[in-house]
Amino acid sequence: MINQRFNMEFEVYYHEVNPKEQATPLAILHYLEDAAISHSESIGQGIKQLQAKKQAWILNQWILQMNRYPVLGEKVMIETWSSGFERFYANRDFLIKDKNQEIIGKATSLWIFYNTESKRPSRIPQEFQEAYGVDPIRVIEDATNQFQIHEVGDQAQAVDNEQIFTVRRSDIDTNGHVNNANYLQWMLEVIPEDVYQNAYLAAMKITYRKAATYGSSIRSKCHEAESKANKPMYQHVILENGDLQELATALTVWKSV
């Protein structure tokens, strides 16, 4: 079934930019998430409707590629659609366009349909699939194999930088867990300063393993992976600081400016 894609416009505000007046990767993830939520609201399956039925969408994975980041005051259009359903998994794709309809970024995501009462994945109802429709076009070919991420044990043995953070009240979303974008913020904090200042995040893959909650102590680690010319790559892992349980893994790819 093919359904019309959902479009939502955003303007880059001052609190969303870095010192170069570019939208941060964190802001981009918020745009994507807001567009996904608004799409669900438009078909009558928004947050309040899901909460009433003890249901929720839990993000399992982001893959993001950016050609450039929009700047302060620039307007961008997020185009999103459901690209597939299987049991309790759902794929969602995104295009990020500027005012000239040029594609400046794209993303794919994998979501798990979740029963908040049983705290277990739940089969996606057929009426959801009919309401969203399915456009099978994927914006990143071979998204699953686009990046290879090592097991946490490999990363834990080779660490270039690490920091410890405490989960704040402001980190928590409507599901009672740390919002997915905040894991990226913790990862960016341990990128070497020279890379952060002289390159931009061109691509990333984040896989979420376990939710963090308020008050938790979080350890963010990164290790430089095999890099191509002018494209440093870093492996990341987010751990619960006490028992070192893995919460998220990632690979970030940076491009020199």
Side-chain angles (χ1 to χ4, degrees), residues 43-45 50 53 55 57 82 85 113 124-133:
I43 65 163
Q45 297 294 347
L50 293 180
K53 296 180 286 187
Q55 297 169 335
W57 289 106
S82 297
F85 296 93
F113 194 63
I124 300 170
Q126 182 63 34
E127 59 264 28
F128 276 51
Q129 302 181 39
E130 294 171 355
Y132 282 107

Side-chain angles (χ1 to χ4, degrees), residues 196-232:
Y196 190 82
Q197 294 297 337
N198 298 301
Y200 72 92
L201 181 61
M204 69 163 195
K205 175 182 177 180
I206 298 180
T207 302
Y208 300 94
R209 311 290 188 186
K210 182 178 180 291
T213 54
Y214 172 63
S216 300
S217 179
I218 302 300
R219 185 180 297 266
S220 176
K221 298 183 177 186
C222 82
H223 169 64
E224 186 169 9
E226 183 178 351
S227 301
K228 300 179 181 179
N230 298 320
K231 284 190 176 181

Side-chain angles (χ1 to χ4, degrees), residues 6-13 15-16 24-43 45-47 57 59 62 76-81 92-96 107 109 111 132 172-174 179-181:
F6 184 82
N7 291 275
M8 188 171 181
E9 186 179 72
F10 295 85
E11 181 176 343
V12 180
Y13 292 116
H15 67 273
E16 299 172 324
T24 64
L26 190 68
I28 298 299
L29 288 193
H30 284 313
Y31 294 165
L32 300 180
E33 186 175 43
D34 284 347
I37 291 171
S38 293
H39 186 192
S40 293
E41 296 281 357
S42 74
I43 65 163
Q45 297 294 347
I47 292 174
W57 289 106
L59 184 65
W62 277 123
V76 293
M77 183 68 71
I78 305 296
E79 182 177 354
T80 185
W81 61 95
R92 176 175 285 278
D93 283 59
F94 303 82
L95 291 174
I96 307 168
S109 58
W111 301 75
Y132 282 107
I172 305 301
D173 64 15
T174 57
N179 182 267
N180 68 85

Side-chain angles (χ1 to χ4, degrees), residues 137-154:
I137 294 176
R138 307 305 307 275
V139 297
I140 300 175
E141 293 296 330
D142 250 353
T144 304
N145 299 314
Q146 185 76 10
F147 304 112
Q148 295 297 322
I149 295 182
H150 290 236
E151 294 297 324
V152 61
D154 295 334

Side-chain angles (χ1 to χ4, degrees), residues 80-119:
T80 185
W81 61 95
S82 297
S83 49
F85 296 93
E86 184 177 354
R87 296 185 299 160
F88 45 78
Y89 289 107
N91 294 303
R92 176 175 285 278
D93 283 59
F94 303 82
L95 291 174
I96 307 168
K97 300 179 180 180
D98 65 14
K99 65 179 182 180
N100 298 317
Q101 295 298 300
E102 293 290 330
I103 295 172
I104 63 173
K106 52 190 177 180
T108 67
S109 58
L110 179 64
W111 301 75
I112 297 174
F113 194 63
Y114 190 76
N115 185 298
T116 58
E117 191 169 45
S118 67
K119 301 187 183 304

